[in-house]
Amino acid sequence: MKNRNPRTFEVKSFGCQMNVYDGERMAELLEAEGLSAAAEGAEADLVVLNTCHIREKAAEKVYSEIGRVLGRGGGAQPMIAVAGCVAQAEGAEIPRRAPGVDIVVGPQAYHNLPALIRQAKAGGRAVDTDMPAASKFGALPARRRLAPSAFLTVQEGCDKFCTYCVVPYTRGAEVSRPWAAVLDEAKALIDGGAREIILLGQNVNAWSGEDEKGRARGLGGLVRALDALPGLTRIRYTTSHPNDMTEPLIRAHAEVPKLMPYLHLPVQSGSDRILKAMNRSHTTDSYLRIIERVRAVRPDIAVSGDFIVGFPGEREADFEATLRIVEAVNYAQAFSFKYSPRPGTPAAEMDEQVPPEMMDDRLQRLQALLRAQQLAFNQAQVGRRTEVLLERPGRKAGQLIGKSPWLQSVHLETQAAIGDLVEVEILSAGPNSLAGAASMRTAA
Ligand code: SAM
Ligand code: SF4
């Protein structure tokens, strides 16, 4: 039997930070409709699976999750909504393949979730994958679920059409949220206790808009406007595209102390031949020049990136060029993936697909180098004092976990509270986190 009158919900987000943000907004929307979040460990009446379509494995996960939710024992079966990029890409195919699914809602349509739930309550199956001209943001309730570090989506979609990527198809065209809407949401987040705001976008540095005086502004201008908001102590942004790394944004890294010294700037490959086939529209050289310019104004900046190995036509020499650019940049952090052919993208049809065992081998070699760089970056902090924004409890009693300015996770035992900014002496470092001791509280 199906639960047709959900009172509790669970939103499970997969994939990127933009999905985490969308998941938070859906939870706020459901709360505004009178539903409440299911208690930790309890089974929800409505399960929203907020999915990712970027690689095949991520996309397949949704079906095993649906099976898991439907297979759980107990009373009535929960109502299931599939949201996110798999919903956009597969639409009505999802309930055909998984008949237990009641609702399918794309990333630009989730403000319609209450109406879709009403349809499902009446016993119908509800599918909405529209990409309406009017933005969903105006139809969402005010921000409520707040944490010391809060995401704020400022830009969505992508017009760059890298030949491997589904984002332009699942998230639609590049759109920037207006200046005032972003600042209003930032103020609401700060009023609710956020100390750090992470501006999000598929190409966040392509954000553009007009300020309150009608002047054209880019992301650098938006960062400066956030800097002026009292109560905010840290600003970050992600993910950036090399082609949109403008001079005003680079200058902001020099001149805005609240802007943290961290830049996620994916390069994908170190081979110009492969970059061209990927339609990346930057070269290894232009990428390295950007890193140089950013480091010239902010020498301590932590650079992070994304890499794809095994793109069609990638030969050993191309892959070795990727290892060389990694050596040249010296990354503080990175995300690396095996190329995954996505239906409907040009690269999926290209000749010379790379065999899986060759991809495995290249990924291992690349990750060994990236891990060594990340460990060295973390170890360089040992013995130094740094500010940490405390974000969540650790596993041990009395332990809290926060972030350094360079986005490293730092564990420490402290009397301070979540949301505090504390000065910490770094005692030891591993590849994924640092351990420290609190010295004195620097800000509340
Ligand atoms: N807009 C960002 C950019 O261009 O750098 C990245 C957005 S994408 C959601 C995140 C990362 O997923 C990409 O940087 C790329 O490394 C990876 N990715 C995208 N499509 C992929 C595919 N088909 N196979 C493997 N990795 C992929
Ligand atoms: Fe995908 Fe390329 Fe757009 Fe990034 S820039 S979202 S990788 S198409």
Side-chain angles (χ1 to χ4, degrees):
M1 246 241 318
K2 212 20 142 180
N3 188 330
R4 297 260 167 231
N5 193 20
R7 294 176 193 283
T8 62
F9 71 87
E10 179 193 3
V11 179
K12 214 168 164 191
S13 289
F14 302 87
C16 67
Q17 291 153 318
M18 298 195 66
N19 260 13
V20 175
Y21 174 87
D22 288 344
E24 287 169 2
R25 304 290 328 242
M26 282 189 262
E28 289 164 350
L29 187 59
L30 294 171
E31 280 170 354
E33 286 292 305
L35 281 83
S36 47
E40 187 91 23
E43 295 185 345
D45 303 337
L46 165 68
V47 177
V48 181
L49 301 173
N50 190 20
T51 61
C52 172
H53 200 246
I54 198 85
R55 283 168 291 275
E56 191 183 359
K57 255 196 189 153
E60 281 301 313
K61 217 181 235 172
V62 62
Y63 291 102
S64 52
E65 269 302 312
I66 293 167
R68 198 190 57 76
V69 173
L70 290 175
R72 73 191 194 192
Q77 271 190 354
M79 195 177 267
I80 300 186
V82 176
C85 290
V86 177
Q88 191 64 39
E90 297 188 7
E93 183 56 28
I94 297 173
R96 271 197 285 276
R97 191 170 153 188
V101 171
D102 305 281
I103 296 169
V104 177
V105 61
Q108 302 308 344
Y110 65 73
H111 55 295
N112 294 333
L113 207 42
L116 297 170
I117 293 172
R118 279 192 287 281
Q119 274 182 48
K121 274 183 176 176
R125 189 162 277 158
V127 177
D128 188 348
T129 52
D130 283 354
M131 292 210 185
S135 153
K136 65 188 170 234
F137 292 106
L140 295 172
R143 303 303 317 265
R144 283 181 48 198
R145 307 186 132 225
L146 304 171
S149 174
F151 290 134
L152 200 179
T153 292
V154 299
Q155 181 277 333
E156 288 196 290
C158 180
D159 296 336
K160 301 229 167 18
F161 290 93
C162 299
T163 53
Y164 51 81
C165 186
V166 288
V167 168
Y169 312 99
T170 55
R171 290 272 175 169
E174 223 163 82
V175 178
S176 295
R177 287 181 70 192
W179 173 271
V182 172
L183 291 182
D184 284 349
E185 189 169 329
K187 284 177 203 155
L189 290 170
I190 298 164
D191 287 347
R195 294 286 159 264
E196 170 177 276
I197 289 182
I198 306 178
L199 302 175
L200 296 182
Q202 260 91 26
N203 286 300
V204 70
N205 56 344
W207 184 90
S208 67
E210 283 181 359
D211 65 15
E212 58 287 329
K213 294 191 177 134
R215 287 173 302 194
R217 305 298 288 262
L219 189 68
L222 194 59
V223 163
R224 285 173 195 272
L226 286 174
D227 181 52
L229 299 179
L232 188 65
T233 51
R234 289 181 166 188
I235 305 165
R236 301 181 189 273
Y237 62 94
T238 199
T239 293
S240 296
H241 191 283
N243 285 11
D244 297 311
M245 210 56 220
T246 60
E247 199 51 45
L249 182 56
I250 293 177
R251 265 206 318 279
H253 274 286
E255 295 166 7
V256 179
K258 288 182 193 173
L259 184 57
M260 290 293 102
Y262 185 92
L263 175 63
H264 182 63
L265 196 67
V267 66
Q268 314 296 356
S269 168
S271 156
D272 285 335
R273 198 174 68 82
I274 296 297
L275 288 177
K276 194 152 184 255
M278 287 176 162
N279 191 32
R280 282 293 290 179
S281 63
H282 59 80
T283 62
T284 49
D285 203 50
S286 63
Y287 179 86
L288 288 171
R289 278 205 310 274
I290 295 166
I291 302 290
E292 240 170 57
R293 278 161 55 211
V294 178
R295 282 190 169 142
V297 303
R298 189 75 214 228
D300 70 335
I301 199 154
V303 178
S304 117
D306 290 351
F307 297 87
I308 295 176
V309 299
F311 184 82
E314 185 190 73
R315 310 206 180 119
E316 177 62 21
D318 299 304
F319 173 67
E320 282 171 12
T322 298
L323 296 179
R324 280 200 300 279
I325 201 168
V326 171
E327 274 157 7
V329 172
N330 197 8
Y331 287 91
Q333 240 188 42
F335 304 90
S336 46
F337 314 100
K338 286 186 274 188
Y339 166 70
S340 171
R342 308 309 296 124
T345 60
E349 308 297 319
M350 285 180 187
D351 294 336
E352 274 196 75
Q353 298 282 329
V354 174
E357 49 296 349
M358 203 175 267
M359 284 204 220
D360 284 335
D361 172 65
R362 289 181 187 166
L363 189 66
Q364 277 181 29
R365 285 155 70 199
L366 175 63
Q367 289 187 338
L369 177 58
L370 290 167
R371 254 197 319 275
Q373 292 188 344
Q374 185 168 325
L375 179 62
F377 184 83
N378 287 348
Q379 284 174 338
Q381 292 291 330
V382 176
R384 291 169 60 178
R385 281 171 193 275
T386 186
E387 279 188 345
V388 171
L389 178 63
L390 297 171
E391 292 182 10
R392 60 195 165 91
R395 283 212 199 111
K396 297 183 199 148
Q399 190 188 52
L400 293 181
I401 302 176
K403 291 273 164 47
S404 77
W406 302 276
L407 209 61
Q408 297 147 301
S409 287
V410 183
H411 302 239
L412 64 145
E413 273 165 30
T414 174
Q415 302 295 314
I418 289 176
D420 285 350
L421 194 65
V422 292
E423 194 178 281
V424 174
E425 184 181 347
I426 303 302
L427 303 174
S428 64
N432 300 317
S433 63
L434 309 175
S439 37
M440 56 184 259
R441 190 177 296 200
T442 51

